[in-house]
Amino acid sequence: MNTTDLLSIANEFGNPVYVYDATKITSQYQRLTSAFNTIPNLRVNYAVKALSNISVLRLLRNLGSGLDTVSIQEVQLGLLAGFSPEQIIFTPNGVSLEEIEEATALGVQINIDNLSILEQFGSKYPQIPICIRINPHVMAGGNSNISVGHIDSKFGISIHQIPHILRIVENTKMQINGIHMHTGSDILDIDVFLYAAEILFETAKHFEGLEFLDFGSGFKVPYKEGDIQTNIEELGERLSSRFLAFCKEYGKDLALAFEPGKFLVSEAGFFLAKVNVVKQTTSTVFAGVDTGFNHLIRPMLYGATHQIENISNPNGKKRFYSVVGYICETDTFASNRQIAEISEGDILCFRNAGAYCFSMSSNYNSRLKPAEVLWHDGKAKLIRQAETFDDILRNQIQIF
């Protein structure tokens, strides 16, 4: 996609608007599968929470992907998108046994991450194979909200609790067909990831009859020029070799699974917003746009950096701006950022807007959610209509 295409989309569909490039999603998927092309049974399960539009899910299904889901609604969405139950893994956190039973009835792969539910499920459904999610206590991620491999994390069953897991499995006679590891997001060091993988291999030795090992994901993508990113090719070469050696040791060819979200869709996403006002104060020049953290919360929630370009004046002289939203609260996308000179009415483009952007949007301040557009085969296709005021009122009940 180029600047002309993006400006055309803003003109046709209005703004703010999310745009996703199907070509980039496809190339990222193929890059990952190529990196692990020596693995006979590779499973790529797209993490739905990153971007859950059903057209994006169908695109990934056509590429051969499976799905990683964290809620019963994501499971239902995946089935509606045409995935078979066998292509979907359900990895919730802190949900009730009832929700897990609902997913079980739909036939998807269950992944359990706490001892309480493990014992309850095993006692009630010992004949249904499940995956166990462990926490190897290997840290990844640059922000405390996404670096969740630590000892007090709510995710996964601690490797120090393996004796408890084995006791439950023995007592219930339940079947374990997979082991999954959780490290969090933004893998910066391949050696750290491989260290966590060794913990997974050691854990797997405790269980007979495994069908797959799931290494999660957390692959880092670049968010700014010169940013560190996970070297997928190096990881593929080193982990594939070690995985195949483990399969020989285990005495069985296992499937190798990943659950990428950000890696597949982040760089494919663009968020377009119009500049409402350029406001000079005593110390700052603000560019106020027609959106806010109700549409893109990552900078305020995580301190995330999104490159911002003035696509209406891409060759203009660069000046320093603080780009802010219209939410009645601190609502800052970027502080003191160099951007090509901005005028009121210009269209700004936020890059890396594919993952955890629209999916985390809200109606805060009673604002409407924007449209979503997929750029596919050189054409812009609307895949979600912009909300109207009727959507704000749809489920409200007026009692006075």
Side-chain angles (χ1 to χ4, degrees):
M1 294 192 68
N2 56 42
T3 298
T4 302
D5 297 327
L6 291 170
L7 285 171
S8 175
I9 288 170
N11 183 61
E12 180 178 357
F13 298 101
N15 40 261
V17 61
Y18 276 100
V19 185
Y20 312 118
D21 185 352
T23 301
K24 183 62 176 179
I25 296 173
T26 300
S27 66
Q28 286 294 95
Y29 182 88
Q30 292 172 343
R31 182 183 169 200
L32 181 58
T33 55
S34 294
F36 288 88
N37 61 8
T38 61
I39 302 299
N41 190 352
L42 177 69
R43 301 179 186 176
V44 176
N45 297 319
Y46 168 65
V48 178
K49 62 182 179 288
L51 172 59
S52 59
N53 188 288
I54 194 167
S55 292
V56 173
L57 300 187
R58 285 179 170 157
L59 170 65
L60 285 157
R61 181 202 65 194
N62 291 341
L63 293 173
S65 178
L67 293 184
D68 167 47
T69 59
V70 297
S71 70
I72 190 62
Q73 291 80 11
E74 286 187 353
V75 171
Q76 293 165 337
L77 191 59
L79 294 172
L80 189 62
F83 290 86
S84 67
E86 296 77 21
Q87 292 176 296
I88 300 173
I89 185 168
F90 181 49
T91 308
N93 177 257
V95 306
S96 66
L97 179 64
E98 288 73 22
E99 183 168 338
I100 292 176
E101 288 177 317
E102 191 175 349
T104 301
L106 294 174
V108 302
Q109 172 69 57
I110 303 298
N111 192 10
I112 294 179
D113 84 333
N114 68 85
L115 293 172
S116 174
I117 295 295
L118 184 68
E119 185 167 5
Q120 292 178 61
F121 191 92
S123 298
K124 198 168 182 180
Y125 306 100
Q127 76 284 4
I128 297 178
I130 63 102
C131 179
I132 294 176
R133 187 187 206 191
I134 66 162
N135 190 331
H137 305 310
V138 174
M139 295 287 283
N143 181 282
S144 61
N145 288 341
I146 59 175
S147 183
V148 287
H150 53 79
I151 194 72
D152 290 324
S153 172
K154 70 172 185 170
F155 297 100
I157 302 173
S158 169
I159 55 169
H160 303 303
Q161 294 178 309
I162 288 177
H164 298 296
I165 296 174
L166 296 175
R167 176 180 55 82
I168 291 171
V169 171
E170 174 61 27
N171 289 343
T172 62
K173 309 302 181 188
M174 66 191 305
Q175 301 178 50
I176 309 302
N177 67 346
I179 304 293
H180 170 280
M181 77 172 182
H182 177 82
T183 57
S185 187
D186 281 0
I187 301 295
L188 302 177
D189 189 333
I190 289 175
D191 287 325
V192 172
F193 190 90
L194 293 173
Y195 172 75
E198 289 299 328
I199 296 174
L200 186 66
F201 292 139
E202 286 300 314
T203 302
K205 292 176 183 178
H206 292 285
F207 302 92
E208 297 179 358
L210 294 178
E211 297 173 3
F212 66 94
L213 293 182
D214 192 326
F215 292 83
S217 181
F219 306 138
K220 179 168 173 49
V221 298
Y223 271 77
K224 54 189 175 183
E225 189 174 345
D227 204 1
I228 297 171
Q229 58 180 305
T230 305
N231 187 330
I232 292 297
E233 289 72 26
E234 181 185 352
L235 178 64
E237 182 178 348
R238 295 175 64 184
L239 181 58
S240 294
S241 176
R242 181 66 187 93
F243 178 79
L244 292 172
F246 175 78
C247 288
K248 286 185 178 180
E249 183 182 350
Y250 187 75
K252 182 181 180 181
D253 288 333
L254 302 174
L256 189 160
F258 285 115
E259 290 149 7
K262 183 187 298 184
F263 179 81
L264 294 180
V265 299
S266 176
E267 295 172 279
F270 305 85
F271 183 51
L272 309 180
K274 186 180 73 172
V275 178
N276 285 334
V277 62
V278 177
K279 180 179 180 179
Q280 173 81 57
T281 69
T282 55
S283 60
T284 303
V285 180
F286 289 105
V289 294
D290 64 347
T291 185
F293 70 70
N294 56 318
H295 294 156
L296 200 167
I297 198 173
R298 295 185 76 256
M300 291 298 297
L301 181 63
Y302 297 141
T305 298
H306 289 262
Q307 282 188 274
I308 302 174
E309 301 170 4
N310 182 0
I311 60 174
S312 295
N313 184 28
N315 299 316
K317 181 180 178 180
K318 291 197 172 183
R319 299 185 60 193
F320 287 91
Y321 297 92
S322 288
V323 181
V324 294
Y326 58 14
I327 292 299
C328 193
E329 201 170 308
T330 301
D331 186 15
T332 304
F333 292 114
S335 296
N336 208 32
R337 184 82 63 83
Q338 268 196 311
I339 303 171
E341 188 166 12
I342 296 172
S343 301
E344 292 170 1
D346 282 352
I347 301 297
L348 302 188
C349 174
F350 296 72
R351 289 187 171 270
N352 281 89
Y356 306 101
C357 293
F358 185 92
S359 64
M360 298 178 78
S361 64
S362 74
N363 292 118
Y364 188 47
N365 284 190
S366 295
R367 293 288 186 178
L368 308 176
K369 291 184 182 181
E372 291 179 292
V373 171
L374 184 68
W375 182 261
H376 186 257
D377 290 338
K379 296 180 181 178
K381 301 181 180 181
L382 186 67
I383 58 173
R384 185 191 299 268
Q385 293 181 344
E387 288 186 338
T388 68
F389 188 65
D390 287 341
D391 293 309
I392 296 291
L393 293 174
R394 188 173 310 282
N395 293 317
Q396 296 190 42
I397 300 172
Q398 301 183 52
I399 62 171
F400 300 110

